Structures are given as C-alpha cells and as structure tokens.
C-alpha cells in the first residue's frame, strides 16, 4: 500500500500510552467469545511470529510471490479450506463453508517493495533479485504485507477452532501485486468469481499496517485513500557523443525538464481545494558518462479523489511531454510514449460497516484505542477492486498500528508524526503487533459471522 497517514489532531500523545490487550468490557454473550479469541490468539503467538519472520526474511516482488502463496495455500489447506491457487499467477483463495450465514471475504496482500532494509534485525531481508528488465533490485517488506499474511493465517486458525460459534462462508484472499496497483484487477480479470467460483460476499474487510502504536486501530467511514495511476513516459531522442550534444537530440534533458514542469500541472492548473499529487519516482536513461542515450524513461504516479482532477493531470503530462519533445526538435511521429499501468479508484469505506466494526473494537480495545474519524490520505490501495462487479457489497479497510509504543512516544517527543513511514528502509513491524493484528482480524470477522449478527 502506498500509504501517507495523517494522524487525527491531538491523538498522538493519547495513542502513545495505549495498553496492549486491554481487558474486554463487552456485555452479554459476546464477552466470553472475545475472551476465547484472546486465548486462542495468544496460544498461537509463537507460531505466528515464526511465520512472520520467515515471510519477512524471504520477500517477493509483485507477481513473484510464489513462496509466500505456497505458505498461504498450505496453511489454509491444513485448516480444511477449499483452496485455489494460480489466480492471476500467484493469487490464492481459500473458502471455508460452515453452514448458513453471511459470506465474509477478507484480503491479505503478499508482495514486498524494491527497498533495501536498514533495520538491524536477526531476520532482516538481504534479498536481491534481477527484474524482467535486467536491473537488480533489493527486496524487503517495508509496507507490512508480511504482517497482513500472518494476521490472516492466524485469524483462519482461530476461526476454525471456533466453528461451532459462527456460521456462514469465510473467503480468504491472498492477493499479489498490491504495490504496483495491479493485483486485485488481475484476479478479477482471471475470473475469480466466474471461473474460480468464489461466492459473492455479503461483507468485505481488509486490514493494513500503519506507523501508529501497537494497540491502535482506525475504523473510519467515507473516503480514506486516494485514487492512483502509475504512468510511464518514454522520451525519444537521437543519441550520440557527450562531447557533441549539438549533433544529438537529448532525451535526458527533455526528461529532466519534464520532472520540473510536471509540478506546475498541480500548482498552476488544479484548484488548491482538490487533492492532487504528481510524483516522479524513477528516471532511467543511459549508462555511460560520455554517451547521450536515445531514450529516457520517467515513471510517475498520480493521486486524486476527483476524476476531473485525474484527467487534468493526465492531460498536463501529455501536453508537457509533447511540448518538450517538439521544442527539442523531435518529429510528430517520435512523440513520447505514455503508458498507463496500474490504476485504482479512491477507496471509500462503507459508513455502516465501519461504524459497526469500530463500535465492536471500541468495546473490546477501549474507546481511546479506536479512531473512528480520520482524514482522507493521499496513499492508495487496490483492495476494493477485488469486489469486481459487486460494487454494492459493504467494504471497509481497517488500519492497525504496528510501531513499538516506546519508539512512537520517542518520535512524538522529537516533533515527528511517526517513527517511520511505509516504503522507508526503517519501516518495522513490532513483534507485539503480530498477535494484536491477528486479534483485530479475528474479532472483526467473527463479529460479522456470529449467529446473533444481523
């Protein structure tokens, strides 16, 4: 997930002091079930921590999550789930039918980032891979997808151990390629519902990590994450010797000017009241000091909530890119190639489902631990695209804190919002978050599937 959290005003000091596994205060029959969930999760904690460390130490990039998908499939099969693999290359779906009742779907994304881990951990990632374009890249779970998978597997075991206490159909999805925002749509295009027989859900839940203290959960209604597009712009030129640039048409210069001029698209053409972000994350051109290459590639990404704003940025990219190419003498048949890659609409949480889960979690974790009002972020997700044609299904994405509370308090005392951010080399899931996230996942799913539930 490309996530940029903005904490609710005044909440940081309160959150930093949150206790872990506070005593449940729910009234009625559900209190005994919550206590049972706590005991099951804590009894499974060592196993889950080992799974987490193993996945963390063996990260895989988008659509290459073969080993991780194998772990998901093996664990779910052992628990009695009907498992299908190879959906959109590495996607996994497990289905557990347990009588009449709602169909609840839950997703965990499996891919890692092309980031070198800086944490000094005995289980840190040192993985490097050669990508399809021949370049070498580091690989590490710097967005918490290793925790997402672990939480789902822990929840799956707890739910199978409590089968007599709930009824319905539980659908668990191990999704590839969230980072490039292509995996969810790929699973839909591969016929997840039509070909692979996944039932239409009545509820859909996703959970994501955040650099908030362990013990904190966000369950907020409405717009939560921005829409996004991943866009490649390939500038064409005429290469030559670096000592004679007058004999070339330099695509590096075109690309460099484009990076600067793209910023004016947002600052001078989009109304300040609209959310708009245009970031160039990669410039790829040439290999030698004294050679002007024939092409230069920019990899950009957009963030938006309004389709009109999205179109304004896309038009601006085309106009700037082609204008620069013409300025530096490129003919009309050699205009830059603009390639649209991963894309997702804004993520909007269902108000009723968010309120319901927020209320349940507040009863269990304490009201101060659950944030039920949160500003829209400029990060993006594709989890909601897994609904495919079933856009009427209530969906919500919960956000779970994974930062060590002491590290969080230290960061706040230094004037920082968070001790680290996603996609940063220092991103780290505190091990206390493994049982805590599993607990949140299990409580949320169980709440929708217990017999008393509407």
């Amino acid at each position: 997930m490309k996530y940029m959290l903005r904490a609710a005003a005044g909440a940081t000091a309160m959150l930093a002091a949150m206790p872990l596994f506070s005593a449940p205060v729910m009234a009625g029959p559900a209190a005994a079930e919550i206590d049972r969930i706590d005991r099951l999760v804590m009894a499974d904690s060592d196993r889950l921590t080992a799974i987490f460390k193993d996945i963390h130490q063996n990260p895989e990039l988008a659509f290459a999550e073969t080993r991780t998908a194998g772990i998901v499939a093996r664990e779910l099969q052992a628990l009695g789930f009907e498992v299908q693999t190879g959906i959109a290359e590495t996607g996994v779906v497990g289905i557990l039918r347990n009588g009449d009742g709602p169909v609840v779907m839950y997703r965990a994304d499996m891919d890692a980032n092309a980031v070198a881990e800086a944490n000094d951990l005995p289980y840190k990632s040192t993985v490097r891979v050669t990508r399809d374009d021949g370049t070498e890249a580091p690989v590490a779970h710097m967005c918490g997808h290793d925790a997402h998978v672990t939480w789902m597997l822990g929840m799956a075991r707890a739910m199978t151990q409590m089968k007599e206490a709930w009824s319905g159909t539980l659908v668990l999805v191990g999704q590839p390629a969230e980072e490039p925002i292509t995996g969810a749509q790929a699973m839909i295009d591969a016929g997840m519902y039509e070909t692979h027989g996944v039932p239409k859900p009545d509820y859909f839940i996703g959970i994501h990590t955040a650099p908030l203290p362990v013990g904190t959960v966000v369950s907020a209604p409405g717009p939560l994450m921005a829409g996004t597009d991943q866009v490649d712009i390939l500038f064409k030129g005429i290469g030559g010797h670096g000592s004679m640039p007058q004999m070339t048409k330099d695509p590096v210069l075109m690309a460099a000017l484009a990076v600067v001029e793209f910023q004016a698209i947002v600052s001078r053409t989009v109304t300040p009241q609209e959310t708009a972000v245009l970031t160039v994350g990669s410039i790829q051109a040439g290999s030698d000091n004294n050679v002007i290459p024939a092409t230069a590639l920019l990899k950009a990404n957009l963030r938006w909530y309004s389709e009109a704003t999205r179109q304004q940025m896309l038009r601006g990219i085309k106009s700037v890119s082609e204008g620069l190419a013409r300025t530096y003498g490129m003919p009309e048949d050699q205009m830059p190639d603009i390639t649209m890659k991963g894309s997702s609409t804004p993520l909007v949480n269902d108000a009723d489902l968010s309120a319901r889960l927020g209320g349940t979690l507040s009863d269990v974790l304490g009201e101060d631990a659950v944030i039920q009002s949160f500003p829209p972020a400029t990060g993006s997700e594709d989890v909601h695209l897994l609904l495919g044609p079933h856009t009427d299904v209530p969906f919500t994405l919960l956000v779970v804190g994974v930062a060590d509370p002491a590290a969080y308090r230290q960061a706040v005392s230094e004037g920082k919002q968070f001790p680290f951010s996603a996609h940063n080399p220092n991103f780290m899931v505190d091990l206390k978050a493994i049982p805590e996230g599993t607990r949140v996942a299990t409580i949320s799913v169980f709440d929708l599937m217990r017999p008393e539930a509407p």
Side-chain angles (χ1 to χ4, degrees):
M1 175 182 81
K2 297 150 186 78
Y3 213 89
M4 294 174 58
L5 284 168
R6 291 179 287 175
T12 54
M14 173 187 70
L15 294 174
M18 281 306 305
L20 305 181
F21 275 56
S22 53
V25 294
M26 292 180 64
E33 300 296 348
I34 295 299
D35 181 66
R36 186 180 177 191
I37 289 171
D38 286 353
R39 287 185 281 107
L40 290 172
V41 169
M42 290 310 296
D44 199 24
S45 182
D46 288 346
R47 182 187 74 98
L48 293 175
T49 299
I51 290 173
F52 167 77
K53 289 180 177 179
D54 178 61
I55 295 173
H56 184 88
Q57 203 164 19
N58 296 278
E60 298 164 302
L61 293 177
F63 293 121
E65 311 93 333
T66 305
R67 185 179 186 277
T68 308
I71 292 171
V72 172
R74 182 177 66 249
E75 293 289 332
L76 294 184
Q77 285 172 339
L79 293 171
F81 282 75
E82 306 166 24
V83 175
Q84 295 201 46
T85 61
I87 306 174
E89 298 186 48
T90 51
V92 181
V93 173
I95 302 173
L96 184 65
R97 306 178 196 276
N98 190 34
D100 296 332
V103 177
V104 176
M105 189 161 77
Y106 179 104
R107 182 216 72 169
D109 40 3
M110 303 184 294
D111 57 325
N113 312 99
V115 176
E117 181 170 10
N119 298 313
D120 185 17
L121 298 170
Y123 53 91
K124 72 176 291 185
S125 171
T126 58
V127 172
R128 298 188 70 87
V129 299
T130 300
R131 308 180 92 163
D132 291 341
D133 61 4
T135 60
E136 186 179 76
V139 187
H141 275 292
M142 297 291 99
C143 201
H145 298 186
D146 44 358
H148 300 173
V149 172
T150 306
W151 293 341
M152 182 174 74
L153 296 179
M155 176 266 286
R157 173 178 273 198
M159 290 295 287
T160 59
Q161 291 172 319
M162 299 177 64
K163 285 181 69 174
E164 83 289 346
W166 59 272
S167 60
T169 299
L170 179 58
V171 179
L172 304 185
V173 181
Q175 181 203 309
E178 185 278 332
E179 293 297 348
I181 310 291
T182 52
Q185 188 61 50
M187 292 189 77
I188 294 300
D189 293 342
M192 188 175 86
Y193 293 104
E194 300 85 358
T195 304
H196 296 278
V198 174
K200 175 185 176 181
D202 296 300
Y203 301 101
F204 182 27
I205 302 173
I207 297 184
H208 205 291
T209 60
L212 296 168
V214 176
T216 305
V217 179
V218 178
S219 181
L224 184 68
M225 305 186 77
T228 186
D229 293 279
Q230 316 304 308
V231 186
D232 284 0
I233 306 100
L234 179 69
F235 286 89
K236 303 168 188 177
I238 297 176
H241 202 291
S243 68
M244 295 177 282
Q246 76 279 8
M247 298 182 68
T248 72
K249 297 186 188 299
D250 190 348
V252 177
L253 179 60
M254 299 178 211
L257 290 169
V259 172
V260 176
E261 291 193 23
F262 283 171
Q263 304 314 306
I265 297 172
V266 172
S267 66
R268 290 298 178 267
T269 73
V270 177
T271 177
Q273 285 73 33
E274 286 287 342
T275 297
V277 179
L278 197 169
T279 296
V280 176
S282 176
I283 304 175
Q284 299 176 10
S287 57
D288 294 318
N289 296 57
N290 63 345
V291 177
I292 293 173
T295 61
L297 176 66
L298 298 183
K299 295 188 174 187
N301 71 89
L302 316 181
R303 310 299 165 129
W304 44 272
Y305 277 93
S306 158
E307 179 63 24
T309 297
R310 174 186 184 240
Q311 292 300 328
Q312 181 67 39
M313 288 192 285
L314 291 174
R315 286 193 300 269
I317 288 173
K318 185 175 188 294
S319 178
V320 166
S321 301
E322 292 183 352
L324 285 167
R326 293 187 180 101
T327 296
Y328 289 95
M330 296 305 296
E332 290 300 313
D333 64 349
Q334 291 294 302
M335 289 295 102
D337 292 333
I338 298 176
T339 304
M340 303 295 294
K341 300 193 301 184
S343 181
S344 180
T345 55
L347 186 153
V348 181
N349 281 341
D350 180 80
D352 291 340
L353 182 56
S354 295
R356 174 174 172 173
L357 295 181
T360 296
L361 292 168
S362 292
D363 287 342
V364 177
L365 305 177
E367 289 186 5
D368 290 345
V370 181
I371 301 170
Q372 298 190 63
S373 178
F374 205 76
T378 49
S380 301
E381 254 281 5
D382 70 347
V383 55
H384 53 298
L385 301 186
L386 281 171
L387 287 172
H390 306 307
T391 55
D392 58 329
V393 172
F395 161 80
T396 196
L397 181 74
L398 300 173
V399 178
V400 172
V402 296
D404 174 69
Y408 184 84
R409 288 192 295 269
Q410 178 66 26
V412 171
S413 71
E414 295 172 356
K416 303 173 184 176
Q417 273 195 310
F418 309 106
F420 50 77
S421 62
H423 298 197
N424 181 276
N426 296 110
F427 182 93
M428 184 167 64
V429 174
D430 188 85
L431 294 181
K432 293 185 290 294
I434 299 306
E436 185 71 4
T438 303
R439 183 190 191 212
V440 170
T442 307
I443 290 170
S444 299
V445 170
F446 177 78
D447 183 58
L448 298 174
M449 305 191 80
R450 55 191 174 89
E452 299 92 329

